[in-house]
Amino acid sequence: MATVIRNPILFPCTSHHPNRNHNSTLLTLRFPQTSPKRSSLRFKSRFTVSCSQSEPSSRRRPPYIPNRIPDPSYVRIFDTTLRDGEQSPGASMTSKEKLDVARQLAKLGVDIIEAGFPAASKDDFEAVKTIAQEVGNAVDEDGYVPVICGLSRCNENDIRTAWEAVKYAKRPRIHTFIATSAIHMEHKLRMNKEKVIDIARYMVKFARSLGCEDVEFSPEDAGRSDREFLYQILGEVIKAGATTLNIPDTVGITMPTEFGGLIADIKANTPGIENVIISTHCQNDLGLSTANTIGGACAGARQLEVTINGIGERAGNASLEEVVMALKCGAHVIGNLYTGINTKHIYMTSRMVEEYTGLQLQPHKALVGANAFAHESGIHQDGMLKHKGTYEIISPEDIGLERTNEAGIVLGKLSGRHALRKRLEELGYGLNDDQVQNLFWRFKAVAEQKKRVTDADLRALVSDEVFQAEPVWKLGDLQVTCGTLGLSTATVKLFSYDGSTHIACSVGTGPVDSAYKAVDLIVKEPVTLLEYSMNAVTEGIDAIATTRVVIRGESGTSTSTTHALTGETVLRTFSGTGAGMDVVVSSVKAYIAALNKMLGFKETSPSAEKIPISSSKI
């Protein structure tokens, strides 16, 4: 058994070298309760004052080999936004949206995309299969192509279904799991340790027998599992053919030093561990997911499981943007670890996931929140004016966020398409000609009512015009009457996917309620409205309003799915967003967007001849 040394005491001291033009910082780590001969380690590190000022890495992504990494300093990024992230309430995405996100993740440079849980539903299977066929075969000029992974429980049907979905990718992977903590084995699985080991061993062998050469195994709730049992079961799945061992802190209960110690213990005590990659998966129930993930990397994990914006089950997962930038900024103290992520695409990817899932970011979210690069304090503003490095360790441009309009272009009602396209590109949006054309008319309508169209306005318009599900229904016209003299009345005109026109009128307790009831009369899909919220994009009475709603279908099993961890059949919830200078129009657009997303999951929904998204007159 190896000795695990925890809680080192850090002593920095500075020394000057005559042959260098800077001071180096020597870090001395002293370990209490150890022998004097091995009581300290000294290594040299140069503290950086800014991530943006550090020298760019010239190291390239090493060749992909399932069970080893040629460069020991390289860390694989495993993104599970499309699987664990989509388990967030209201975060369901259509197959088209999942494909868009997968393409963006490939552009970002993630090593592995966990595209979903294929056995959950027919739609999930088809989405994973499509991603495997398209994104999983898009090899770039450097030879990079992401691994496409499908999740499965430890049973033959799940594993076979996962393989049938991912096998079309150039680099397919099956990720299977079974719980190993005492509480899970007793109350959920109702199995003893020997039975769990037998199942894990057999299912990894079964996955390999299908022809899959890249198999990941996770002992669910590893953070609360008996260490000796972990070493045993992990050793057995290694012998069975597992290539990656993922160690999840499923309930987010471990502390950073504790989780780092767990990874170190597994690395030191698991037979055959040198033949596989150790991975981490940290939930954020105590707000420690990023810290635990970095702790795991420092202890030897070379695959880190993350999601965009940290979305996921309950309090979410480790955030990709936080983990990647922490590794970049902290490379000088954590062993010069590096990833293959192109950080210039972080902001755009964050925005896409936010819009498609409807999960709005908190303003102070690290790196990608609205206030991440905002400075209001007078002292901070003074420092920023003198030197940005006084209060910013990262330049917003490093993650693809343009802080200012370098060209000096101010968008207004006289601006043309070229100016609009230029600003959109500066904001990170690579839109095609049709999307720019449709957006241009929305932009002109807003510019007629506002003296100046801000970046926030443009982002809201892009969200409303581009980041939407394919329209089964589209808002044509809306008229409401409301006030204190009688019941509110709304008349709604909708266009269906085949171009036909439908009109309905209804009364309600207010303009939004009456409009929603009129929409229900046309769509005829019984749903429950779970959430409704509205925000002003900018200051002023002429601000664009953005609305978010979450609905749940009540019409049976057509929108149901199987929960990956519990195995329960649950009804999906769907979110929708809308934007407009009229709050009622914004609200109706959000409701229709959520309905379109829900209808996209129903087998009876039309799959062809969708009407193109065109400019709205409202």
Side-chain angles (χ1 to χ4, degrees), residues 233-474:
I233 191 171
L234 293 176
E236 289 299 317
V237 297
I238 290 173
K239 288 190 288 186
T243 53
T244 299
L245 300 182
N246 179 50
I247 310 303
D249 180 18
T250 304
V251 294
I253 196 172
T254 60
M255 299 295 106
T257 53
E258 184 182 9
F259 189 75
L262 172 61
I263 298 298
D265 284 356
I266 289 172
K267 188 175 181 180
N269 297 290
T270 302
I273 196 69
E274 67 278 2
N275 299 317
V276 297
I277 304 298
I278 302 177
S279 174
T280 68
H281 182 114
C282 300
Q283 297 292 137
N284 201 39
D285 296 71
L286 295 176
L288 295 171
S289 58
T290 295
N292 283 341
T293 300
I294 298 299
C298 292
R302 289 298 178 264
Q303 176 181 289
L304 308 179
E305 302 201 357
V306 293
T307 61
I308 301 297
N309 299 336
I311 65 173
E313 190 82 23
R314 302 186 312 280
N317 292 275
S319 163
L320 179 145
E321 57 274 12
E322 293 175 14
V323 168
V324 168
M325 295 308 291
L327 288 175
K328 179 182 177 182
C329 294
H332 59 295
V333 292
I334 56 177
N336 287 314
L337 301 180
Y338 72 104
T339 72
I341 296 297
N342 183 346
T343 62
K344 296 286 187 182
H345 293 289
I346 284 178
Y347 185 76
M348 181 59 189
T349 310
S350 170
R351 291 292 300 181
M352 176 180 284
V353 170
E354 180 184 19
E355 300 299 344
Y356 278 168
T357 62
L359 300 176
Q360 297 176 341
L361 292 174
Q362 61 203 54
H364 54 281
K365 170 70 173 68
L367 297 163
V368 291
N371 294 345
F373 296 98
H375 305 271
E376 186 169 332
S377 163
I379 295 175
H380 287 217
Q381 289 176 346
D382 178 66
M384 285 292 295
L385 290 171
K386 292 173 179 176
H387 192 288
K388 290 184 174 61
T390 53
Y391 288 101
E392 281 187 357
I393 60 168
I394 299 169
S395 169
E397 289 78 12
D398 289 347
I399 63 167
L401 172 61
E402 295 289 336
R403 190 203 316 266
T404 59
N405 189 338
E406 299 294 341
I409 296 174
V410 177
L411 295 178
K413 65 180 183 180
L414 300 179
S415 300
R417 291 177 181 80
H418 182 71
L420 175 63
R421 181 189 288 274
K422 175 67 176 175
R423 188 62 193 134
L424 290 171
E425 289 174 351
E426 291 174 350
L427 293 173
Y429 296 108
L431 307 183
N432 60 39
D433 291 341
D434 290 339
Q435 290 172 326
V436 173
Q437 176 69 9
N438 294 332
L439 194 64
F440 178 69
W441 295 114
R442 289 289 305 278
F443 158 73
K444 294 292 279 188
V446 172
E448 287 290 338
Q449 301 177 61
K450 296 187 68 173
K451 184 176 180 179
R452 179 182 178 185
V453 180
T454 67
D455 291 345
D457 294 326
L458 289 179
R459 293 190 182 102
L461 293 177
V462 170
S463 168
D464 193 47
E465 199 66 36
V466 178
F467 294 141
Q468 295 288 353
E470 288 200 42
V472 178
W473 295 99
K474 183 178 183 297

Side-chain angles (χ1 to χ4, degrees), residues 585-606:
V585 172
S586 173
S587 300
V588 173
K589 284 185 174 182
Y591 190 55
I592 294 173
L595 288 169
N596 282 334
K597 188 176 288 188
M598 184 187 75
L599 292 172
F601 276 87
K602 295 175 69 67
E603 294 180 359
T604 56
S605 65

Side-chain angles (χ1 to χ4, degrees), residues 16 49 55 91 144 196 208 225-226 242 290 297 299 310 318 326 355 393 397 402 416 444 455 467 502 511 520 570 579:
H16 181 71
V49 296
E55 296 179 3
Y144 159 77
V196 171
R208 290 299 299 259
S225 298
D226 175 71
T290 295
E355 300 299 344
I393 60 168
E397 289 78 12
E402 295 289 336
K444 294 292 279 188
D455 291 345
F467 294 141
H502 302 259
D520 289 339
V570 296

